[in-house]
Amino acid sequence: MDQHSSTMEASPDGAANVDWKATHGSLVRYLIARGVRADLADDVAQETIARLVVIARSQAIGSLFALAFRIANNLLVDHARLESRIGGDLDEDFVCDAPSLDRIVDSQKAFEVFQRCLNRMPPLRREVLVRRRLHHESCRSIGEDLSLSSKAVEKHITRALTDLRRAMVSAGLDPAGWSAW
């Protein structure tokens, strides 16, 4: 059966009577004429041929080209829907605002190290550090409440930060990323 034949009989070898290469070429030309990129036109034509072969093995096709163009058009619609759901070109770099798994694990480990270190600090040093760094109280205010000079408050903060830095280094954490503390 040649490529211009409009009817194809159903039979186990019915698909073998079609010039699939010529049908593929016709589909690619049709799709490119509709403005489809050449690579996408080839993919759609190939998928269309695969579907036509399956159909031709089980039933008679009244008009091979009419069915081929209908299948190709439906595949284009499916492709457009997929692209609109994904948000455009599949080759774009996707950026995730969530922290990486490594960062999460490092943060959890750092929190545990901080907690252990704080629990081991003398109570006065811990209180001064928490009030200054977590509650953002001034050294003067902390000193007045605890009957300490501002200089003594600063020394407690320095020693507490040194303790925290040592604990992080001994736990294998990079203290450079935690400079806010």
Side-chain angles (χ1 to χ4, degrees), residues 50-125:
R51 292 182 184 200
L52 283 170
V53 167
V54 170
I55 293 169
R57 287 185 177 155
S58 63
Q59 59 189 342
I61 297 175
S63 173
L64 178 68
F65 288 100
L67 181 58
F69 295 147
R70 172 67 61 97
I71 291 171
N73 285 330
N74 288 341
L75 288 171
L76 285 177
V77 169
D78 292 345
H79 179 76
R81 284 183 185 149
L82 178 65
E83 276 192 346
S84 70
R85 272 188 253 144
I86 292 174
D89 191 7
L90 296 177
D91 293 333
E92 293 177 5
D93 291 334
F94 291 102
V95 178
C96 179
D97 294 331
S100 69
L101 184 58
D102 292 340
R103 179 70 176 145
I104 292 169
V105 170
D106 286 347
S107 296
Q108 288 173 341
K109 187 175 180 182
F111 178 78
E112 291 168 3
V113 169
F114 282 163
Q115 192 64 49
R116 279 194 309 271
C117 186
L118 283 173
N119 290 339
R120 282 184 271 161
M121 281 183 192
L124 182 59
R125 186 179 300 169

Side-chain angles (χ1 to χ4, degrees), residues 121-135:
M121 281 183 192
L124 182 59
R125 186 179 300 169
R126 180 177 48 244
E127 184 176 352
V128 168
L129 179 70
V130 168
R131 288 176 71 170
R132 178 70 180 131
R133 294 298 177 146
L134 295 180
H135 300 294

